[in-house]
Amino acid sequence: MGDAANIIVGTAGKAYRAEVGATFPTGPEEPWGADFSDMGFITPDGLEEALEEERTQLDAWGEDAPVVDLARKRTQTFKLVFRETNAFNLSLYYQVKLASMTSTAAATPKKQFLSFGSGSVTDTVEVALGLDVIMSGKRHRIMIARCGVSDREAVKHSSEESSNFGMTFTALAAPGGAQSVQHMITEVTLPVEPEPDPG
């Protein structure tokens, strides 16, 4: 029988970024470490997570169904639309490393400003990404050890909407053979598997 308590509606969420190799929290309700920076407000569309697989099926003589089904490649993507114009989002959207940006201090009457050139294809920006999906006490935490931006929405500058940065992150192989993506979800129980029949 179904249990409505198991339904998660992401009423709020946060995204955090850090340098690849940063240490993730060990639990879904622990605070993010000093290495992680809040990426700012996200549009109400929330997080769109997708998992795609490329598979190879092997047939056998006389069999009417495949005898082997192999996963060749698994691609996980995470799409978010950020409302804030900050250095972290600009770096990822334009593929410019923070170290390649210049901040010019304010000097009355001139305002402080950030300047950078368009990123080159060799100036790849990769980050560790932390995502929290939150609903009335429940939390689904997703930790991506290494990822890059694989798709970008057009930025619209108008009087009717904020200048948003829509980005799709693709999980990449993690350093040192670690798990590329790790999930932690509160209040989800693990069922007890029945013991195999020894007879």
Side-chain angles (χ1 to χ4, degrees):
M1 184 174 179
D3 185 351
N6 291 332
I7 298 173
I8 294 179
V9 179
T11 56
K14 285 285 189 179
Y16 303 87
R17 53 86 61 201
E19 296 299 314
V20 174
T23 301
F24 284 100
T26 57
E29 297 181 282
E30 293 185 12
W32 293 91
D35 291 346
F36 287 87
S37 300
D38 189 335
M39 296 176 68
F41 288 120
I42 298 166
T43 61
D45 294 333
L47 168 66
E48 184 177 314
E49 178 184 358
L51 176 59
E52 295 184 3
E53 285 186 336
E54 293 181 13
R55 306 190 71 87
T56 297
Q57 294 182 336
L58 303 180
D59 300 324
W61 192 8
E63 299 294 332
D64 59 2
V67 293
V68 175
D69 186 15
L70 298 172
R72 293 176 48 241
K73 180 181 176 183
R74 181 174 292 141
T75 303
Q76 291 180 264
T77 58
F78 305 86
K79 180 181 177 182
L80 295 154
V81 181
F82 297 96
R83 282 213 186 276
E84 294 190 35
T85 299
N86 56 44
F88 298 128
N89 294 334
L90 291 169
S91 169
L92 287 163
Y93 188 88
Y94 291 106
Q95 283 293 285
V96 180
K97 293 179 180 178
L98 293 172
S100 299
M101 295 180 166
T102 301
S103 179
T104 301
T108 307
K110 297 179 180 179
K111 294 183 178 182
Q112 176 273 343
F113 64 91
L114 187 70
S115 57
F116 55 90
S118 295
S120 69
V121 292
T122 59
D123 198 18
T124 302
V125 178
E126 296 178 352
V127 295
L129 188 64
L131 306 170
D132 278 338
V133 179
I134 306 163
M135 177 209 132
S136 62
K138 287 183 179 288
R139 187 178 298 264
H140 182 175
R141 177 163 286 179
I142 305 170
M143 296 165 288
I144 304 125
R146 175 175 164 246
C147 65
V149 177
S150 54
D151 191 36
R152 296 164 177 79
E153 294 182 359
V155 178
K156 183 178 180 181
H157 304 287
S158 77
S159 61
E160 299 178 354
E161 178 61 287
S162 57
S163 299
N164 299 329
F165 298 92
M167 294 181 278
T168 299
F169 298 85
T170 295
L172 304 171
Q179 289 290 328
S180 177
V181 179
Q182 187 172 5
H183 296 261
M184 295 178 179
I185 309 176
T186 60
E187 298 181 341
V188 176
T189 59
L190 188 65
V192 178
E193 295 287 343
E195 293 291 332
D197 186 353

